[in-house]
Each structure stands twice: as structure tokens, then as C-alpha cells.
Amino acid sequence: MKKFCIFGNPVMHSKSPQMQNAGFRHLNIDANYEKFLLEDGQKIKEEFIKNGFSGANITVPHKEFAYKMADEVIGIAKKIEAANTYILENGRVLAYNTDAPGFLKSIEEFKDVKKVLLLGAGGTSKAISLALQDKNYDVTVLNRSANKLDFFKNNSIKAYSFDDFKIEKFDLVVNSTSAGLKDDLLPASKEILEDVLKSSSYAVDCIYGKETPFLNLAKSLENVIKDGEDMLLFQGVLAFELFTKTKANESLVEAMRKGLKGL
């Protein structure tokens, strides 16, 4: 039996195992996918190899460590400098990023989106910002502090800290931070968020399975809201294709969606 996992901290909330295992069952693949609580991100490659995993997903806060520790980085993960998928191939650890295409797929239903405000500056934000930029969206990143903004500025993406941000009109506001995952926090001050969300049309939170305080506030200001379930599904399907070297069809995607929902 092949072994797969998701590395994260926290990781108990993750629904990736039920989604990926549903995919394995659907294709009758002898494999198991589990949760792995990893506290020290610098040990990710070591733990991956030591535990005999054939592949893994990586969630917060280890995506940048996964990128740095890999033997080879492939595709858009190079530009993002963050990886959410590991594959073991010929004894080497290969790193990919499926967050970027997964996010784009998840917002296809939103029409007339040109300007996007992205909250946070971690690995997920890097993936989303570059994916949006690549599709000619006008992207602005807003983060609590300025010390994580160089990556975005170096990639010609507008980036501000709370101190120097000036309110303007955005079509879509995205929370890529962990605010609201285990607490009742907002990803920015209520004053900033209210000013922005009053004039936006859509709000997406990368956190899934709950209506976060951010989404709750956005809904109260008449935004169409969406959690991170579709992003999780589509990035998971892309990772599954890498794990199994298969191309997902509609029936597999539906099986994985049902697994994600616990059906």
C-alpha cells in the first residue's frame, strides 16, 4: 500500500484525507492518505522520506519550507517560492504548487472581476497573486507588516502594509490568512475591511468548511461570499493527478467532492 499525507500545523481540521482517500477508492488504488502534524517545517523533507510517503500535500505554515527543502521544484512553484505538493520519484523529492490553478478554477463563476485585493502575504497569497497576475487581473496585496512584501513588489504586484494602505474600489476581496481558522479574528482591522467590502461584489476565504468572521462581515455588506472548499477540491484533484499519474475525469472529481463533504 502506498502512503500519502498532508503536513501542517494545525492539521486536525484538514479534510484532505477524506477527499484523497475517496479518489483512491474510486479508482481502486491501494493507497492511504493521512494527517501529519509537523511542528518544525525545516524537517519536512526528512519526515517525508523517513515515513515512506510516496506523495504529500503541504498546508500552513510549511509551504515555503517545502519549497526550500525539495530536491527539485517544478512549474509555477519556482516563481511562487512555495510548494503545496511533494512527490517521491527515483529517490528524489519533487515539489509542485497546485494552489494557483486550483484558485483560478474556483473563481470562474464570478463575472466582471478585474481588481482583486488579497489579504495576507504567505505561501497561499504568493500562489494566488501570481496566478491572478498571469491572467491579467489587477492585484493588490495587503499585509499586517511590511517585512513580507518584497516578494510581491519584486514581481510587480502592488503591496501595502496596514500603515500605508489607501482605500480604493475592488471587485473581489480574498482572505489568504489563517485569521478565523481557530479563532474569531479578522484578517485586517474592521475599519479597513468595512471600507473595502462596502464597494466590492465578491469575497472569498481560503479557509473552508465554515463561515469565518471575514465572510460574515462581507455578507453583511452584501457581497457574494465563498469559502475555500472549491479551491481545496481543485488543488486536491491536481495533486491527485500527480500522485497517481492519471488524468481526472468528471466522475473522479465528483467522488472527491463527495469525500470532501463527508458523503
Side-chain angles (χ1 to χ4, degrees):
M1 177 182 283
K2 287 190 172 182
K3 290 171 59 183
F4 299 85
C5 78
I6 179 163
F7 289 110
N9 184 18
V11 79
M12 283 309 295
H13 70 285
S14 176
K15 293 182 180 176
S16 288
Q18 61 200 55
M19 171 175 60
Q20 298 289 351
N21 284 324
F24 292 140
R25 284 193 302 272
H26 183 75
L27 295 183
N28 294 311
I29 293 172
D30 189 19
N32 184 60
Y33 186 109
E34 62 191 63
K35 300 172 188 177
F36 193 108
L37 176 65
L38 181 69
E39 295 184 351
D40 184 355
Q42 296 189 69
K43 293 184 176 177
I44 189 163
K45 180 184 170 186
E46 177 188 330
E47 293 290 348
F48 178 74
I49 293 169
K50 186 173 78 178
N51 286 276
F53 294 119
S54 297
N57 288 123
I58 300 100
T59 187
V60 291
H62 301 316
K63 294 180 185 184
E64 279 112 334
F65 284 120
Y67 161 80
K68 289 174 187 170
M69 300 294 167
D71 293 315
E72 185 179 350
V73 181
I74 295 169
I76 197 171
K78 287 182 191 172
K79 194 174 178 186
I80 297 168
E81 298 180 3
N84 78 328
T85 304
Y86 265 4
I87 303 292
L88 187 66
E89 198 165 284
N90 300 322
R92 300 173 73 243
V93 178
L94 310 185
Y96 300 80
N97 192 301
T98 66
D99 281 332
F103 178 80
L104 290 175
K105 181 80 174 161
S106 76
I107 63 164
E108 281 181 354
E109 69 201 67
F110 295 155
K111 305 304 178 190
D112 303 317
V113 172
K114 294 181 178 68
K115 292 187 66 175
V116 182
L117 178 64
L118 188 51
L119 305 168
T124 303
S125 178
K126 290 176 180 178
I128 291 173
S129 65
L130 290 177
L132 288 168
Q133 182 191 52
D134 193 48
K135 295 297 182 183
N136 298 315
Y137 289 89
D138 181 347
V139 189
T140 299
V141 170
L142 175 61
N143 192 54
R144 184 178 304 279
S145 58
N147 61 359
K148 281 191 167 186
L149 299 179
D150 286 349
F151 170 89
F152 302 96
K153 292 176 180 177
N154 291 340
N155 281 285
S156 303
I157 293 169
K158 292 173 285 185
Y160 303 95
S161 69
F162 291 175
D163 295 333
D164 61 2
F165 178 66
K166 291 181 176 58
I167 302 296
E168 55 183 293
K169 186 182 185 308
F170 298 94
D171 304 307
L172 167 65
V173 184
V174 181
N175 174 35
S176 77
T177 78
S178 59
L181 176 59
K182 298 190 298 180
D183 49 47
D184 293 322
L185 298 177
L186 290 165
S189 72
K190 192 173 184 183
E191 291 74 26
I192 287 176
L193 291 176
E194 283 182 335
D195 281 346
V196 169
L197 291 166
K198 278 174 189 170
S199 60
S200 59
S201 300
Y202 306 104
V204 172
D205 203 315
C206 294
I207 295 168
Y208 61 89
K210 63 185 292 190
E211 191 170 297
T212 59
F214 167 73
L215 288 183
N216 195 268
L217 179 62
K219 186 166 74 171
S220 75
L221 295 168
E222 300 184 346
N223 282 248
V224 174
I225 64 169
K226 184 171 191 173
D227 74 0
E229 184 180 287
D230 272 359
M231 180 183 176
L232 178 69
L233 172 67
F234 294 128
Q235 66 78 30
V237 169
L238 292 166
F240 186 90
E241 291 180 338
L242 292 169
F243 293 156
T244 60
K245 294 182 170 59
T246 59
K247 187 67 182 166
N249 58 22
E250 283 186 27
S251 66
L252 174 63
V253 173
E254 194 52 39
M256 291 179 72
R257 186 187 289 279
K258 285 182 178 177
L260 182 56
K261 290 179 177 293
L263 300 175

